[in-house]
Amino acid sequence: QVQLVESGGGLVQPGGSLRLSCAASGSILSIEDMGWYRQAPGKQRELVASMSSGGSINYVDSVKGRFAISRDNAKNTVNLHMNSLKPEDTAVYYCNAKIISDYGFLARNYWGRGTQVTVSS
């Protein structure tokens, strides 16, 4: 069974930094895309950053220049380094990965449970 586990959320002041980590484990054959989504109260879930297995990266415009995504294919992990945090970044952040399992032939999306990030003075 495949699962994603996030860590690193917490409370930080505006302008501060935080690093989120996600580890995929289980019966994994390969991982295509890995990334981070977030959802604030009353808002739709949005893609924050993603990275393909080949290294292609996408960011939502609001975090460009402040956030950086990194990935370790050998360890099946993905990190999100968040700098210059703003109150508007407050949300639950979810790890997401498109994975082909050892028993399957089609890729499917897997989700972590989410980790809370709160930016407040």
Side-chain angles (χ1 to χ4, degrees):
Q1 185 174 356
V2 175
Q3 66 175 10
L4 304 178
V5 179
E6 305 107 330
S7 62
L11 174 65
V12 297
Q13 294 183 333
S17 299
L18 204 62
R19 182 181 69 185
L20 305 182
S21 298
C22 174
S25 62
S27 301
I28 298 172
L29 179 62
S30 64
I31 302 178
E32 295 183 355
D33 299 327
M34 296 190 78
W36 295 90
Y37 288 72
R38 67 184 180 186
Q39 187 169 24
K43 298 184 66 177
Q44 293 288 315
R45 185 176 298 188
E46 67 173 352
L47 175 67
V48 180
S50 66
M51 191 172 189
S52 72
S53 60
S56 179
I57 297 173
N58 289 310
Y59 295 103
V60 66
D61 287 343
S62 60
V63 308
K64 289 181 178 178
R66 300 189 298 118
F67 291 10
I69 188 171
S70 62
R71 178 176 173 179
D72 188 332
N73 292 335
K75 296 181 179 180
N76 292 331
T77 60
V78 63
N79 296 327
L80 186 67
H81 299 262
M82 304 184 292
N83 302 307
S84 301
L85 283 162
K86 304 175 181 180
E88 305 92 271
D89 296 317
T90 296
V92 177
Y93 285 70
Y94 297 90
C95 181
N96 171 262
K98 190 175 183 180
I99 297 173
I100 300 176
S101 71
D102 288 339
Y103 305 101
F105 60 93
L106 296 176
R108 59 165 289 181
N109 283 320
Y110 291 85
W111 295 90
R113 292 184 177 181
T115 184
Q116 178 70 48
V117 172
T118 302
V119 184
S120 176
S121 60

